[in-house]
Amino acid sequence: MVDVVIVDIGSYGKEGDSSILLKSDIGQRISNGSFGFPEESFLPGSNIVVPHVIVGDEAFRLHTHIMKPYSKKSSREDVSKKNI
């Protein structure tokens, strides 16, 4: 496995993180499917197949390859979403 670090810096101060990502080369590649994520694979020790994802905060839109953690409120109200 190869670790990859990608940095895209620079935008106007009033733009939100999600907008900046969507306008960036990285965001465009994620949106149009040319980013080069590995193929979906099984979660370790299970028969559940999932895509590889980038984890962002609540500012980002959900996408097949962009996920965000449950909100604190959501994880408090639903024990199945609680961090272990």
Side-chain angles (χ1 to χ4, degrees):
M1 184 165 99
V2 176
D3 290 332
V4 177
V5 176
I6 301 171
V7 178
D8 191 336
I9 301 171
S11 190
Y12 298 103
K14 292 183 178 182
E15 288 189 87
D17 295 343
S18 185
S19 297
I20 294 168
L21 177 65
L22 291 173
K23 292 178 182 178
S24 72
D25 183 51
I26 297 165
Q28 292 295 309
R29 289 174 183 238
I30 292 169
S31 293
N32 69 25
S34 67
F35 184 76
F37 283 99
E39 292 293 320
E40 295 180 342
S41 59
F42 290 99
L43 287 174
S46 79
N47 61 351
I48 301 170
V49 177
V50 295
H52 288 79
V53 298
I54 294 172
V55 179
D57 63 19
E58 58 275 351
F60 293 91
R61 295 179 189 167
L62 292 175
H63 178 275
T64 302
H65 294 289
I66 301 175
M67 300 301 293
K68 54 189 177 181
Y70 292 114
S71 69
K72 288 180 184 178
K73 180 181 179 194
S74 176
S75 61
R76 272 189 250 128
E77 294 173 356
D78 184 343
V79 293
S80 70
K81 297 176 182 174
K82 186 174 180 167
N83 292 336
I84 296 175

